[in-house]
Amino acid sequence: MHKGQYEHSPAWVKVIQWLGVKALLTIVAMGAWIIVPCDHASTGALKWFQFMQTVGTFLLPPLICAWLWSSQPLSWLGLKQNVEASKSRNTEVFFCAIVLMIIAMPGINLLADWNSKMVLPECMAGIEAWMKAQEQAAMALTERFLKGEGVGILLVNIGLMALLPACAEELTFRGVVQGLIAGSGQQSARQHVAVWVTAILFSAIHLQFYGFVPRMLLGALFGYMLVWTGSLWVPIVMHFTNNVITVVAYWVIYNKGINPETVESFGTGETAWVGWLSLALTAVGVYFFWRLSRQMRSASSRMS
């Protein structure tokens, strides 16, 4: 096989290829973890499993498929910008994206608090019990990963729970899924559909339904940032910013004996005004990027 061999294949063929590569590499990763002699219930072994699963399921499949689908795989994924007019604004764009992500975090807490109060009808009691069990299991595993003393543990957690997921999940969801749905066209309606369908899948795949809404909106924000800036690096950096702040905050909390609710509740309850202010400022920031994208497209069209 050579680079770009399936460039003109229909979208449904590419979806099958992507799912096939994804399934194969996931099985390989799980098999490699199972056959390695170790205590598979230990935190260290579970971290290795998390690493291999993320690489096999989310990181490598987009890179392999982009190589098969395009003669310029990095450009197809949005990892290489072709708009010369935007280069002078790269520093400004990334700085503002990081600030926007930080500003949005209390608002995310507010939305998460609202989402966590969700109650399903009695006829769906079984589903609700399953959802709560999934939520508790995910929280327990995350807490287990985040606990640990020493800077070494912190750096491992930053790599495993902040940097790797940011790169791998953005390559999969914004790079491949959103790219396949949006296609090669620039129709506004199709771009919107691609952003929101991808955001829903991005949130659903985490199986944490009591945080579904804020994660979906976060996914939509990442999707629009890709559309507006033309660079997948922007949502990757924002995703990493969100993750690394959480990882560092919980490392401090667990090592200093601070109540985790101190962070989780910021922007809710007595500090709900901070959450509402955060949402308002985030909306302003989103408008800024939308305006910036129009200016960049205008400058690009004048140059061409």
Side-chain angles (χ1 to χ4, degrees):
M1 293 187 293
H2 57 81
K3 185 165 63 173
Q5 181 176 351
Y6 298 97
E7 185 167 3
H8 302 294
S9 298
W12 65 269
V13 172
K14 293 180 179 179
V15 170
I16 293 175
Q17 290 173 334
W18 171 60
L19 291 175
V21 172
K22 190 180 182 72
L24 176 62
L25 292 179
T26 300
I27 292 171
V28 170
M30 293 179 67
W33 181 74
I34 291 172
I35 64 175
V36 172
C38 65
D39 179 8
H40 290 92
S42 68
T43 301
L46 290 174
K47 285 188 176 183
W48 270 113
F49 175 69
Q50 179 80 4
F51 172 80
M52 289 188 288
Q53 184 186 45
T54 302
V55 171
T57 305
F58 296 105
L59 183 65
L60 292 182
L63 298 175
I64 293 172
C65 289
W67 187 84
L68 293 173
W69 298 339
S70 176
S71 57
Q72 297 182 318
L74 294 182
S75 295
W76 192 91
L77 287 168
L79 294 173
K80 184 178 180 181
Q81 289 180 279
N82 294 318
V83 182
E84 296 294 329
S86 67
K87 289 185 177 180
S88 62
R89 294 200 172 194
N90 277 347
T91 302
E92 175 187 352
V93 167
F94 282 105
F95 175 78
C96 292
I98 292 171
V99 172
L100 177 61
M101 189 67 255
I102 294 172
I103 289 173
M105 295 189 77
I108 294 172
N109 284 348
L110 180 63
L111 293 173
D113 180 65
W114 168 78
N115 196 170
S116 68
K117 294 180 173 62
M118 175 180 63
V119 178
L120 298 181
E122 288 188 16
C123 61
M124 301 178 69
I127 296 176
E128 185 172 22
W130 174 77
M131 289 167 59
K132 288 183 177 180
Q134 291 293 323
E135 194 81 13
Q136 291 170 358
M139 290 177 63
L141 183 61
T142 301
E143 182 177 338
R144 185 173 174 181
F145 278 10
L146 289 172
K147 283 185 175 179
E149 298 179 357
V151 176
I153 294 294
L154 174 61
L155 293 177
V156 168
N157 286 342
I158 288 175
L160 180 65
M161 305 181 71
L163 181 59
L164 183 59
C167 295
E169 291 180 9
E170 291 311 308
L171 281 168
T172 289
F173 291 100
R174 258 57 65 178
V176 171
V177 178
Q178 186 170 314
L180 287 176
I181 297 174
S184 58
Q186 297 298 320
Q187 303 96 329
S188 177
R190 188 162 179 172
Q191 290 283 5
H192 288 307
V193 170
V195 167
W196 284 101
V197 170
T198 302
I200 291 170
L201 293 174
F202 168 70
S203 187
I205 202 71
H206 287 80
L207 295 178
Q208 291 176 273
F209 303 99
Y210 290 91
F212 182 89
V213 172
R215 189 175 290 107
M216 178 190 68
L217 294 176
L218 200 57
L221 174 61
F222 294 158
Y224 280 116
M225 295 300 286
L226 172 59
V227 172
W228 293 335
T229 66
S231 174
L232 188 66
W233 289 113
V234 176
I236 287 176
V237 167
M238 293 181 72
H239 197 148
F240 172 73
T241 300
N242 177 71
N243 290 357
V244 76
I245 290 175
T246 302
V247 168
V248 173
Y250 278 97
W251 182 81
V252 172
I253 284 171
Y254 291 134
N255 280 278
K256 300 298 182 181
I258 303 172
N259 188 342
E261 292 185 3
T262 304
V263 173
E264 296 169 359
S265 63
F266 184 65
T268 68
E270 295 181 355
T271 58
W273 65 273
V274 180
W276 286 110
L277 179 61
S278 166
L279 293 176
L281 292 176
T282 301
V284 173
V286 168
Y287 175 74
F288 164 79
F289 273 102
W290 174 74
R291 286 290 302 271
L292 179 63
S293 70
R294 294 187 63 184
Q295 294 173 10
M296 290 167 64
R297 286 197 299 268
S298 177
S300 177
S301 62
R302 286 196 300 269
M303 291 181 65
S304 59

